[in-house]
Protein backbone atom coordinates (compact mmCIF):
# COMPACT_ATOMS: atom_id res chain seq x y z
CA UNK A 1 0.00 0.00 0.00
CA UNK A 2 1.49 3.32 -1.12
CA UNK A 3 -1.30 5.88 -1.22
CA UNK A 4 -1.84 9.57 -0.59
CA UNK A 5 -4.97 11.05 1.01
CA UNK A 6 -5.57 14.78 0.67
CA UNK A 7 -6.70 16.35 3.98
CA UNK A 8 -6.47 20.03 3.07
CA UNK A 9 -6.16 21.73 -0.32
CA UNK A 10 -6.70 25.44 0.26
CA UNK A 11 -4.15 28.19 0.85
CA UNK A 12 -3.89 30.30 4.01
CA UNK A 13 -7.60 31.07 4.49
CA UNK A 14 -10.00 28.13 4.81
CA UNK A 15 -12.90 28.75 2.42
CA UNK A 16 -15.77 26.98 0.65
CA UNK A 17 -15.32 23.93 2.86
CA UNK A 18 -11.65 23.68 1.89
CA UNK A 19 -9.02 23.45 4.61
CA UNK A 20 -5.36 24.51 4.75
CA UNK A 21 -2.66 22.08 3.66
CA UNK A 22 -2.28 18.57 5.06
CA UNK A 23 -1.76 15.20 3.39
CA UNK A 24 -1.48 11.64 4.70
CA UNK A 25 0.85 9.24 2.88
CA UNK A 26 0.25 5.62 3.75
CA UNK A 27 3.22 3.29 3.31
CA UNK A 28 2.22 -0.27 4.19
CA UNK A 29 1.33 -0.09 7.89
CA UNK A 30 2.83 3.38 8.57
CA UNK A 31 1.34 6.79 7.82
CA UNK A 32 3.40 9.91 7.14
CA UNK A 33 1.67 13.24 7.70
CA UNK A 34 2.83 15.98 5.34
CA UNK A 35 2.12 19.47 6.69
CA UNK A 36 -0.52 20.03 9.31
CA UNK A 37 -2.69 23.09 8.75
CA UNK A 38 -5.36 24.14 11.22
CA UNK A 39 -8.19 21.60 11.34
CA UNK A 40 -6.03 18.58 10.43
CA UNK A 41 -7.34 16.68 13.49
CA UNK A 42 -10.88 17.01 12.16
CA UNK A 43 -9.84 16.02 8.67
CA UNK A 44 -8.05 12.91 9.93
CA UNK A 45 -11.25 11.85 11.65
CA UNK A 46 -13.43 12.74 8.65
CA UNK A 47 -11.36 10.66 6.24
CA UNK A 48 -10.73 7.84 8.71
CA UNK A 49 -6.95 8.10 8.80
CA UNK A 50 -5.85 6.16 11.87
CA UNK A 51 -3.97 8.38 14.33
CA UNK A 52 -2.12 5.47 15.82
CA UNK A 53 -0.51 4.70 12.44
CA UNK A 54 1.03 8.19 12.11
CA UNK A 55 4.71 7.61 12.85
CA UNK A 56 6.34 10.59 11.14
CA UNK A 57 5.31 14.17 10.46
CA UNK A 58 6.99 16.41 7.87
CA UNK A 59 6.50 20.19 8.03
CA UNK A 60 7.60 22.12 4.94
CA UNK A 61 7.75 25.64 6.42
CA UNK A 62 6.50 27.82 9.22
CA UNK A 63 3.64 29.67 7.57
CA UNK A 64 0.67 29.00 9.82
CA UNK A 65 -1.41 27.27 7.13
CA UNK A 66 1.17 24.45 7.20
CA UNK A 67 1.60 23.87 10.93
CA UNK A 68 -1.06 25.59 13.09
CA UNK A 69 -2.81 22.23 13.45
CA UNK A 70 0.28 20.59 14.91
CA UNK A 71 0.24 21.63 18.63
CA UNK A 72 -3.37 20.44 18.93
CA UNK A 73 -2.64 17.20 17.12
CA UNK A 74 0.39 16.39 19.31
CA UNK A 75 -1.63 17.15 22.43
CA UNK A 76 -4.61 15.03 21.33
CA UNK A 77 -2.31 12.12 20.53
CA UNK A 78 -1.25 12.23 24.19
CA UNK A 79 -4.86 12.40 25.41
CA UNK A 80 -5.66 9.36 23.28
CA UNK A 81 -3.00 7.40 25.15
CA UNK A 82 -0.34 7.23 22.47
CA UNK A 83 2.74 5.36 23.61
CA UNK A 84 4.67 4.73 20.41
CA UNK A 85 7.44 6.94 18.99
CA UNK A 86 6.65 10.03 16.95
CA UNK A 87 9.22 11.68 14.66
CA UNK A 88 8.85 15.28 13.52
CA UNK A 89 10.94 16.69 10.64
CA UNK A 90 10.68 20.48 10.37
CA UNK A 91 12.53 23.80 10.21
CA UNK A 92 14.58 24.13 13.45
CA UNK A 93 12.56 27.02 14.92
CA UNK A 94 9.52 24.80 15.35
CA UNK A 95 11.14 22.97 18.25
CA UNK A 96 11.18 26.14 20.40
CA UNK A 97 7.65 27.09 19.35
CA UNK A 98 6.29 23.71 20.48
CA UNK A 99 8.37 23.70 23.67
CA UNK A 100 7.07 27.17 24.59
CA UNK A 101 3.48 25.96 24.23
CA UNK A 102 4.18 22.96 26.45
CA UNK A 103 6.04 25.07 29.03
CA UNK A 104 3.25 27.60 29.61
CA UNK A 105 0.86 24.79 30.50
CA UNK A 106 3.47 22.76 32.42
CA UNK A 107 2.74 19.89 30.04
CA UNK A 108 4.93 17.20 28.54
CA UNK A 109 4.16 14.83 25.70
CA UNK A 110 3.49 11.41 27.23
CA UNK A 111 5.08 9.48 24.37
CA UNK A 112 8.62 9.37 22.89
CA UNK A 113 8.95 12.41 20.64
CA UNK A 114 11.93 13.06 18.36
CA UNK A 115 12.52 16.38 16.65
CA UNK A 116 14.67 16.34 13.48
CA UNK A 117 15.60 19.85 12.28
CA UNK A 118 15.78 20.30 8.52
CA UNK A 119 18.80 22.40 7.64
CA UNK A 120 20.10 21.12 4.32
CA UNK A 121 18.96 19.13 1.28
CA UNK A 122 19.42 15.38 1.21
CA UNK A 123 18.18 12.25 2.95
CA UNK A 124 16.31 13.01 6.18
CA UNK A 125 14.75 9.66 6.88
CA UNK A 126 15.14 6.01 5.95
CA UNK A 127 12.60 3.41 6.97
CA UNK A 128 12.51 -0.21 5.93
CA UNK A 129 10.45 0.70 2.87
CA UNK A 130 10.88 4.40 2.12
CA UNK A 131 13.66 6.94 1.78
CA UNK A 132 12.65 10.57 2.34
CA UNK A 133 14.73 13.33 0.76
CA UNK A 134 14.26 17.04 1.22
CA UNK A 135 15.05 19.87 -1.20
CA UNK A 136 14.80 23.65 -0.93
CA UNK A 137 12.04 25.56 -2.68
CA UNK A 138 11.77 29.35 -2.99
CA UNK A 139 9.04 30.86 -0.84
CA UNK A 140 10.17 34.00 1.03
CA UNK A 141 10.98 32.05 4.22
CA UNK A 142 12.91 28.76 4.40
CA UNK A 143 10.70 26.11 2.81
CA UNK A 144 11.36 22.47 1.93
CA UNK A 145 9.87 20.02 -0.52
CA UNK A 146 9.99 16.27 0.07
CA UNK A 147 10.31 13.15 -2.04
CA UNK A 148 9.16 9.79 -0.69
CA UNK A 149 10.84 7.03 -2.63
CA UNK A 150 10.34 3.32 -2.22
CA UNK A 151 13.53 1.48 -1.43
CA UNK A 152 14.31 -1.00 -4.18
CA UNK A 153 12.58 -4.26 -3.46
CA UNK A 154 14.54 -7.51 -3.64
CA UNK A 155 14.13 -9.70 -6.76
CA UNK A 156 11.27 -12.19 -6.54
CA UNK A 157 12.23 -15.85 -6.26
CA UNK A 158 10.44 -18.20 -8.69
CA UNK A 159 9.65 -21.11 -6.40
CA UNK A 160 9.24 -23.85 -9.05
CA UNK A 161 12.62 -22.96 -10.62
CA UNK A 162 14.59 -22.92 -7.35
CA UNK A 163 13.12 -26.34 -6.57
CA UNK A 164 13.94 -27.67 -10.03
CA UNK A 165 17.56 -26.45 -9.81
CA UNK A 166 17.83 -27.61 -6.18
CA UNK A 167 18.94 -24.23 -4.84
CA UNK A 168 19.42 -24.45 -1.05
CA UNK A 169 17.18 -22.06 0.88
CA UNK A 170 20.15 -20.37 2.58
CA UNK A 171 21.15 -19.03 -0.86
CA UNK A 172 17.73 -17.33 -1.46
CA UNK A 173 18.82 -14.02 -0.01
CA UNK A 174 21.79 -13.86 -2.42
CA UNK A 175 19.47 -14.72 -5.30
CA UNK A 176 17.19 -11.86 -4.28
CA UNK A 177 20.17 -9.53 -4.58
CA UNK A 178 21.03 -10.71 -8.08
CA UNK A 179 23.69 -13.39 -7.59
CA UNK A 180 23.94 -16.35 -10.00
CA UNK A 181 23.77 -19.86 -8.53
CA UNK A 182 26.55 -22.41 -9.05
CA UNK A 183 25.40 -26.00 -8.49
CA UNK A 184 27.38 -28.97 -7.17
CA UNK A 185 28.60 -29.85 -10.70
CA UNK A 186 29.94 -26.30 -11.16
CA UNK A 187 27.23 -25.28 -13.64
CA UNK A 188 26.25 -21.62 -13.45
CA UNK A 189 22.48 -20.99 -13.31
CA UNK A 190 21.96 -17.33 -14.25
CA UNK A 191 20.01 -15.30 -11.72
CA UNK A 192 17.28 -14.38 -14.21
CA UNK A 193 16.48 -18.11 -14.60
CA UNK A 194 15.62 -18.21 -10.90
CA UNK A 195 14.13 -14.80 -10.11
CA UNK A 196 11.91 -12.09 -11.56
CA UNK A 197 12.85 -8.43 -11.53
CA UNK A 198 11.63 -6.43 -8.54
CA UNK A 199 8.86 -3.94 -9.23
CA UNK A 200 10.20 -0.44 -10.05
CA UNK A 201 10.38 1.73 -6.90
CA UNK A 202 7.69 4.42 -6.87
CA UNK A 203 8.10 8.06 -5.81
CA UNK A 204 5.79 10.74 -4.47
CA UNK A 205 7.12 14.32 -4.76
CA UNK A 206 5.66 17.14 -2.66
CA UNK A 207 6.75 20.63 -3.71
CA UNK A 208 5.20 22.60 -0.81
CA UNK A 209 4.65 26.36 -1.35
CA UNK A 210 6.94 27.78 -4.01
CA UNK A 211 7.42 30.22 -6.82
CA UNK A 212 8.10 28.78 -10.27
CA UNK A 213 11.54 27.26 -9.86
CA UNK A 214 13.14 24.94 -12.39
CA UNK A 215 16.04 24.39 -9.98
CA UNK A 216 13.87 21.85 -8.12
CA UNK A 217 13.61 19.58 -11.18
CA UNK A 218 16.69 17.43 -10.48
CA UNK A 219 15.17 16.50 -7.10
CA UNK A 220 11.73 15.48 -8.37
CA UNK A 221 12.40 13.87 -11.76
CA UNK A 222 10.22 10.95 -12.88
CA UNK A 223 7.88 11.10 -9.88
CA UNK A 224 4.93 8.75 -10.17
CA UNK A 225 2.84 11.38 -8.43
CA UNK A 226 3.80 15.05 -8.18
CA UNK A 227 2.06 17.61 -5.97
CA UNK A 228 2.67 21.22 -7.01
CA UNK A 229 0.85 24.20 -5.61
CA UNK A 230 -1.32 26.39 -7.85
CA UNK A 231 -2.46 29.20 -5.62
CA UNK A 232 -3.57 31.20 -8.65
CA UNK A 233 -4.75 30.76 -12.24
CA UNK A 234 -2.38 31.74 -15.07
CA UNK A 235 -3.58 35.35 -15.41
CA UNK A 236 -2.31 36.08 -11.86
CA UNK A 237 1.33 35.27 -12.61
CA UNK A 238 2.51 38.65 -11.35
CA UNK A 239 0.65 38.36 -8.06
CA UNK A 240 1.83 34.75 -7.68
CA UNK A 241 5.49 35.77 -8.05
CA UNK A 242 5.05 38.69 -5.65
CA UNK A 243 3.64 36.34 -2.99
CA UNK A 244 6.10 33.51 -3.69
CA UNK A 245 3.43 31.24 -5.12
CA UNK A 246 2.75 29.53 -8.46
CA UNK A 247 0.10 29.44 -11.15
CA UNK A 248 -1.55 26.59 -13.04
CA UNK A 249 0.71 26.96 -16.09
CA UNK A 250 3.81 27.00 -13.93
CA UNK A 251 2.85 23.84 -12.02
CA UNK A 252 2.07 22.06 -15.29
CA UNK A 253 5.41 23.17 -16.78
CA UNK A 254 7.27 21.74 -13.80
CA UNK A 255 5.36 18.46 -14.18
CA UNK A 256 6.23 18.33 -17.87
CA UNK A 257 9.91 19.25 -17.45
CA UNK A 258 10.39 16.82 -14.58
CA UNK A 259 8.65 14.02 -16.55
CA UNK A 260 6.12 13.33 -13.80
CA UNK A 261 3.60 10.57 -14.46
CA UNK A 262 0.73 12.40 -12.82
CA UNK A 263 0.26 15.91 -11.38
CA UNK A 264 -2.05 16.93 -8.55
CA UNK A 265 -2.57 20.62 -7.86
CA UNK A 266 -3.73 22.42 -4.73
CA UNK A 267 -3.22 25.30 -2.26
CA UNK A 268 -6.02 27.18 -4.00
CA UNK A 269 -6.56 30.84 -3.20
CA UNK A 270 -9.71 31.57 -1.20
CA UNK A 271 -10.63 34.09 -3.94
CA UNK A 272 -11.88 31.19 -6.04
CA UNK A 273 -14.99 29.22 -5.18
CA UNK A 274 -15.03 27.23 -8.40
CA UNK A 275 -11.83 25.45 -9.36
CA UNK A 276 -12.62 24.53 -12.98
CA UNK A 277 -10.21 27.12 -14.33
CA UNK A 278 -7.33 25.57 -12.37
CA UNK A 279 -7.93 22.14 -13.87
CA UNK A 280 -8.57 23.48 -17.38
CA UNK A 281 -5.39 25.54 -17.52
CA UNK A 282 -3.03 22.99 -15.97
CA UNK A 283 -4.35 20.03 -17.97
CA UNK A 284 -4.02 21.99 -21.23
CA UNK A 285 -0.24 21.80 -20.68
CA UNK A 286 0.01 18.56 -18.67
CA UNK A 287 -3.00 16.33 -19.48
CA UNK A 288 -2.72 13.93 -16.54
CA UNK A 289 -3.59 16.57 -13.94
CA UNK A 290 -6.15 16.39 -11.14
CA UNK A 291 -7.35 18.82 -8.50
CA UNK A 292 -6.05 17.58 -5.12
CA UNK A 293 -9.50 17.60 -3.54
CA UNK A 294 -9.95 16.72 0.13
CA UNK A 295 -10.83 13.11 0.80
CA UNK A 296 -9.38 11.92 -2.50
CA UNK A 297 -6.97 9.01 -2.17
CA UNK A 298 -4.32 8.49 -4.84
CA UNK A 299 -2.76 5.03 -5.05
CA UNK A 300 0.72 5.21 -6.50
ZN1 LIG B 1 0.65 27.84 2.32
ZN1 LIG C 1 3.65 29.41 2.66
Amino acid sequence: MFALTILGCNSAIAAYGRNPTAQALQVLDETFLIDCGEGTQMQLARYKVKWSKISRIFISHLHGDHYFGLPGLLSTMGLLGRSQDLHLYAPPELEDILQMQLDVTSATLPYPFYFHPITKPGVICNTQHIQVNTFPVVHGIPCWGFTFKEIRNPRRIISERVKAYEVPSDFYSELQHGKDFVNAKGTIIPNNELTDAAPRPRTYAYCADTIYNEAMIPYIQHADLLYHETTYPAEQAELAAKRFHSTTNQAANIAQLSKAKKLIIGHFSSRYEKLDIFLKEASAIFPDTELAMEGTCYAL
Side-chain angles (χ1 to χ4, degrees):
M1 180 74 161
F2 192 18
L4 181 78
T5 301
I6 306 299
L7 302 170
C9 68
N10 226 42
S11 56
I13 302 170
Y16 309 113
R18 305 191 303 254
N19 291 265
T21 305
Q23 303 183 354
L25 183 68
Q26 193 186 341
V27 182
L28 297 177
D29 57 352
E30 260 191 289
T31 298
F32 297 167
L33 186 65
I34 308 166
D35 281 335
C36 188
E38 191 183 345
T40 297
Q41 293 193 55
M42 306 293 285
Q43 294 295 85
L44 287 167
R46 180 171 296 151
Y47 299 117
K48 300 187 170 41
V49 177
K50 283 193 180 153
W51 297 56
S52 58
K53 301 284 186 196
I54 298 174
S55 54
R56 295 166 201 276
I57 301 176
F58 299 85
I59 301 293
S60 62
H61 67 299
L62 297 183
H63 281 154
D65 56 319
H66 295 256
Y67 87 96
F68 278 175
L70 187 63
L73 180 73
L74 298 181
S75 163
T76 308
M77 282 175 160
L79 296 173
L80 289 173
R82 182 185 181 100
S83 59
Q84 69 269 43
D85 296 0
L86 183 69
H87 294 267
L88 175 63
Y89 305 79
E93 297 81 0
L94 187 55
E95 189 172 24
D96 285 345
I97 295 172
L98 295 173
Q99 193 57 51
M100 186 266 289
Q101 292 188 314
L102 290 168
D103 287 348
V104 293
T105 53
S106 303
T108 51
L109 295 174
Y111 48 86
F113 177 73
Y114 302 94
F115 186 87
H116 305 271
I118 303 175
T119 54
K120 58 180 195 297
V123 179
I124 51 170
C125 163
N126 267 310
T127 71
Q128 197 187 341
H129 305 289
I130 292 284
Q131 181 176 81
V132 186
N133 273 267
T134 189
F135 57 92
V137 298
V138 179
H139 186 51
I141 64 169
C143 185
W144 301 92
F146 304 109
T147 58
F148 301 83
K149 185 171 189 170
E150 277 186 312
I151 290 167
R152 183 168 283 285
N153 298 314
R155 294 180 66 85
R156 199 182 65 83
I157 287 172
I158 308 169
S159 54
E160 57 275 23
R161 301 265 180 87
V162 289
K163 268 186 211 144
Y165 285 105
E166 297 176 346
V167 181
S169 59
D170 60 3
F171 194 74
Y172 285 6
S173 154
E174 309 217 35
L175 280 185
Q176 287 178 308
H177 291 95
K179 245 191 160 181
D180 294 335
F181 174 62
V182 183
N183 69 14
K185 290 178 189 162
T187 310
I188 297 170
I189 319 296
N191 187 282
N192 61 10
E193 273 288 304
L194 302 165
T195 66
D196 282 331
R200 191 181 65 83
R202 296 163 292 180
T203 301
Y204 172 54
Y206 174 80
C207 298
D209 284 9
T210 183
I211 59 168
Y212 181 72
N213 177 24
E214 293 182 7
M216 71 167 73
I217 288 170
Y219 296 103
I220 60 171
Q221 283 187 93
H222 304 289
D224 296 84
L225 184 65
L226 172 71
Y227 166 85
H228 197 293
E229 68 129 289
T230 49
T231 306
Y232 301 105
E235 63 170 13
Q236 297 286 8
E238 209 173 304
L239 179 65
K242 198 170 132 201
R243 295 189 174 171
F244 293 96
H245 285 298
S246 297
T247 67
T248 49
N249 289 2
Q250 293 169 339
N253 281 337
I254 293 290
Q256 197 172 50
L257 292 171
S258 68
K259 300 184 170 55
K261 266 200 185 152
K262 182 180 189 70
L263 169 66
I264 53 174
I265 53 175
H267 202 270
F268 307 115
S269 163
S270 57
R271 293 174 175 210
Y272 301 90
E273 180 176 4
K274 294 200 179 352
L275 301 174
D276 314 21
I277 189 166
F278 287 86
L279 184 60
K280 190 172 164 218
E281 290 180 352
S283 56
I285 295 170
F286 190 81
D288 199 352
T289 300
E290 278 189 41
L291 300 173
M293 297 309 287
E294 293 170 21
T296 307
C297 182
Y298 298 93
L300 274 94

